[in-house]
């Protein structure tokens, strides 16, 4: 009897949904993007996802069609209460030590993103690469897309 009940639950848990065809996508507090081809890595064969947390909200932001690097529209974790920003005049982004980078992105929004994908959103990623100070003054090479080390 338990096997009969288990089979429908397993079928519901499995999905043929292709998130890359839907990306960029905001769903359940997560920013979901897909990078099947890119001029600057990382490229991926599947969707990437980052939890926005309590201080950020997922927003779909259009890319800059004149930019060869930041032309794609993206699902971004935009910091709540932050106005649009100018990356040319803003200070460098910081890495709070949990595998994330936070700052004024090339998408002209203050966002949080995983260090593993920082190059897709920022031109200055020194705090993620370990060559610059993070918030607190020590290098951070975090790579988790879920904010963990």
């Amino acid at each position: 009897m338990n096997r009969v009940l288990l089979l429908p639950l397993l079928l519901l848990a499995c999905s043929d949904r292709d998130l890359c065809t839907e990306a960029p996508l905001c769903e359940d507090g997560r920013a979901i993007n897909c990078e099947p081809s890119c001029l600057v890595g990382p490229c991926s064969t599947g969707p990437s996802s980052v939890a926005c947390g309590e201080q950020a909200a997922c927003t779909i932001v259009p890319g800059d069609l004149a930019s060869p690097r930041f032309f794609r529209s993206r699902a971004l974790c935009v910091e709540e209460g932050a106005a649009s920003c100018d990356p040319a005049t803003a200070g460098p982004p910081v890495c709070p030590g949990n595998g994330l980078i936070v700052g004024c992105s090339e998408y002209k929004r203050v966002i949080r993103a995983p260090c593993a994908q920082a190059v897709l959103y920022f031109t200055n990623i020194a705090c993620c690469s370990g060559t610059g100070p993070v918030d607190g003054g020590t290098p951070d090479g975090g790579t988790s897309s879920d904010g963990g080390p």
Side-chain angles (χ1 to χ4, degrees):
M1 184 81 164
N2 287 348
R3 289 183 196 171
V4 173
L5 293 175
L6 186 58
L7 183 60
L9 291 176
L10 287 174
L11 292 174
L12 287 174
C14 296
S15 173
D16 290 333
R17 185 175 177 196
D18 181 5
L19 292 175
C20 280
T21 61
E22 297 178 43
L25 176 67
C26 292
E27 187 170 272
D28 298 325
R30 299 184 75 77
I32 302 167
N33 291 288
C34 206
E35 195 66 29
S37 65
C38 52
L39 298 174
V40 177
C43 295
S44 63
T45 56
S48 63
S49 173
V50 64
C52 291
E54 293 181 16
Q55 290 88 23
C58 185
T59 304
I60 306 291
V61 178
D64 178 359
L65 296 179
S67 171
R69 185 167 161 193
F70 303 106
F71 65 91
R72 280 196 173 93
S73 294
R74 300 269 184 206
L76 303 175
C77 291
V78 177
E79 294 286 305
E80 290 186 7
S84 293
C85 61
D86 180 0
T89 59
V94 297
C95 296
N98 57 0
L100 296 176
I101 185 170
V102 179
C104 182
S105 73
E106 292 300 319
Y107 287 86
K108 297 177 176 54
R109 305 288 195 293
V110 176
I111 68 164
R112 66 179 60 207
C115 270
Q117 297 181 331
V119 72
L120 300 175
Y121 308 101
F122 298 94
T123 53
N124 180 346
I125 61 165
C127 69
C128 283
S129 63
T131 60
V134 297
D135 191 21
T138 58
D140 175 19
T143 59
S144 170
S145 64
D146 288 325

